[in-house]
């Protein structure tokens, strides 16, 4: 009787030990899952703070070089920094740079980015950086809506309200009928294409490593722009060439971080961080070009930013449930 009792106690003790030990791996896995979005947010934030430097260089060069040339040159310069690293990695790997099934999605994704970037360069050649960025800021709102439809990410009333609020803010920035409305409408179209790019980046993020994805993006971008470049070629000066190299380096770093971020977090989480571009764009626009947005533009930008952060701010009920032990 004692023996069976001891055996039962031992079995129970072992069960308790197993039960207490099991949560550890689960907690570690949960912790890793929580860290992934946080890392994605950090990468996206840094990328958005870097990219206005590249845009400012493009605006500085725009009186001499066309938007198509600047887009093409940025891709070529960025590829010059990325390609040696990729070739070194590929020499040590048996995996192809990209699978056949990913060629079309990556081509479509790159076409969205090429269109967005080219239109944005057209816009900043006509209007101040911050004004163009204010109209371009519809991208996170549209991306949130598209992610719900295409990627089946959750879309609730709060996100729908953010979409409508963002549209209202865009109207304040664009101000149809004003002198600069053509430039802001072009920037608005750029934001729509950028939204498609963000969603496609999330959709294809897991298929290839970030460096491979960036390389394919740059190669496809160069191929798409080269036919148009034949009619708009301008030879850069040594100063312009140095600036183009810097523009390519900043663009390569920002795009690599953006692609990596979308492997770690959802579109609706990362998209509003695009608004961080406003900080760099406004500062650089004022320092380099003496540009400052008008009061109405600032109000519109504030409305769009509020709409974007409405998307990612947790609801009270969710916060309370998380806070409960």
């Amino acid at each position: 009787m004692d023996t069976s009792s001891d055996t039962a106690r031992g079995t129970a003790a072992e069960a308790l030990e197993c039960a207490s030990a099991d949560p550890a791996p689960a907690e570690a896995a949960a912790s890793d899952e929580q860290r992934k979005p946080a890392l994605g947010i950090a990468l996206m934030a840094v990328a958005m703070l870097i990219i206005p430097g590249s845009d400012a260089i493009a605006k500085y060069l725009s009186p001499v070089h066309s938007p198509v040339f600047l887009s093409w040159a940025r891709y070529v310069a960025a590829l010059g920094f990325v390609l040696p690293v990729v070739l070194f990695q590929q020499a040590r790997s048996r995996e192809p740079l990209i699978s056949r099934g990913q060629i079309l999605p990556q081509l479509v994704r790159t076409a969205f980015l090429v269109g967005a970037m080219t239109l944005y360069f057209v816009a900043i050649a006509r209007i101040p950086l911050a004004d163009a960025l204010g109209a371009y800021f519809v991208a996170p709102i549209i991306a949130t809506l598209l992610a719900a439809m295409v990627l089946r990410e959750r879309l609730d009333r709060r996100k729908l309200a953010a979409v409508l609020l963002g549209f209202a803010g865009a109207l304040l920035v664009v101000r149809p009928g004003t002198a600069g409305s053509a430039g802001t409408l072009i920037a608005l179209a750029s934001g729509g294409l950028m939204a498609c790019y963000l969603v496609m980046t999330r959709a294809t993020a897991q298929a290839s490593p970030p460096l491979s994805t960036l390389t394919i993006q740059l190669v496809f971008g160069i191929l798409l722009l080269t036919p148009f470049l034949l009619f708009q070629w301008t030879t850069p000066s040594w100063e312009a060439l140095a600036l183009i190299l810097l523009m390519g380096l900043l663009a390569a770093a920002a795009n690599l971080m953006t692609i990596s971020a979308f492997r770690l977090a959802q579109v609706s989480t990362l998209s509003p961080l695009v608004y961080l571009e406003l900080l760099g764009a406004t500062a650089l626009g004022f320092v380099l070009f003496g540009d400052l947005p008008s009061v109405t533009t600032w109000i519109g930008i504030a409305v769009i930013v509020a709409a974007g952060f409405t998307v990612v701010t947790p609801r009270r009920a969710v916060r309370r449930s998380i806070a409960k032990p």
Side-chain angles (χ1 to χ4, degrees):
M1 186 75 176
D2 291 340
T3 303
S4 62
S5 176
D6 290 342
T7 303
R9 290 192 190 99
T11 304
E14 290 174 1
L16 286 172
E17 288 177 4
C18 291
S20 62
D22 285 341
E27 288 176 4
S31 178
D32 288 340
E33 288 301 314
Q34 291 174 354
R35 280 196 293 266
K36 284 183 179 181
L39 178 58
I41 289 170
L43 288 170
M44 189 71 175
V46 174
M48 294 303 102
L49 291 172
I50 288 176
I51 203 65
S54 180
D55 295 339
I57 293 172
K59 182 174 176 64
Y60 178 78
L61 296 173
S62 62
V64 179
H65 303 286
S66 70
V68 170
F69 174 84
L70 292 173
S71 298
W72 179 88
R74 180 152 86 167
Y75 275 115
V76 171
L79 185 62
F81 289 106
V82 172
L83 192 58
V85 180
V86 172
L87 291 176
F88 176 76
Q89 287 188 348
Q90 286 299 115
R92 304 172 59 186
S93 175
R94 296 181 179 179
E95 296 294 327
L97 186 63
I98 184 174
S99 63
R100 290 184 179 180
Q102 279 296 305
I103 292 177
L104 182 59
Q106 291 291 353
L107 183 59
V108 172
R109 173 179 162 276
T110 303
F112 283 136
L113 180 60
V114 168
M117 187 172 64
T118 304
L119 287 178
Y120 187 70
F121 285 173
V122 172
I124 62 177
R126 300 184 178 197
I127 58 177
L129 271 175
D131 286 39
L133 203 55
Y136 169 85
F137 274 175
V138 296
I141 307 298
I142 297 174
T144 299
L145 193 60
L146 286 176
M149 295 187 294
V150 178
L151 303 180
R152 302 300 176 90
E153 291 185 7
R154 184 179 177 185
L155 179 64
D156 52 25
R157 293 179 182 177
R158 188 165 50 97
K159 292 180 180 179
L160 281 173
V163 171
L164 296 176
L165 189 62
F167 180 72
L171 288 179
L172 287 173
V173 173
V174 174
R175 300 193 305 279
T178 60
S181 63
T184 47
L185 283 173
I186 293 171
L188 195 65
S190 171
L193 290 177
M194 178 55 67
C196 296
Y197 164 76
L198 293 175
V199 173
M200 283 296 296
T201 298
R202 173 63 178 174
T204 59
Q206 304 300 329
S208 304
L211 204 56
S212 299
T213 301
L214 177 58
T215 304
I216 296 301
Q217 171 182 310
L218 296 173
V219 171
F220 282 170
I222 293 169
L223 293 176
L224 288 171
L225 287 167
T226 297
F228 302 98
L229 179 71
L230 297 176
F231 303 98
Q232 301 186 40
W233 173 264
T234 47
T235 303
S237 64
W238 287 110
E239 178 194 4
L241 189 59
L243 289 173
I244 287 170
L245 289 174
L246 178 58
M247 179 173 65
L249 178 60
L250 294 174
N255 277 281
L256 185 60
M257 285 187 280
T258 300
I259 293 167
S260 300
F262 276 102
R263 289 170 63 90
L264 302 170
Q266 291 188 344
V267 173
S268 57
T269 300
L270 297 178
S271 292
L273 293 173
V274 172
Y275 299 133
L276 289 175
E277 283 191 55
L278 180 62
L279 300 177
T282 302
L284 290 172
F286 177 70
V287 172
L288 298 177
F289 310 108
D291 295 333
L292 274 179
S294 65
V295 174
T296 306
T297 299
W298 273 120
I299 294 172
I301 290 171
V303 170
I304 296 173
V305 170
F309 280 101
T310 298
V311 170
V312 293
T313 302
R315 290 172 296 179
R316 291 182 181 179
V318 175
R319 284 200 295 260
R320 287 171 184 167
S321 65
I322 294 173
K324 289 180 180 178

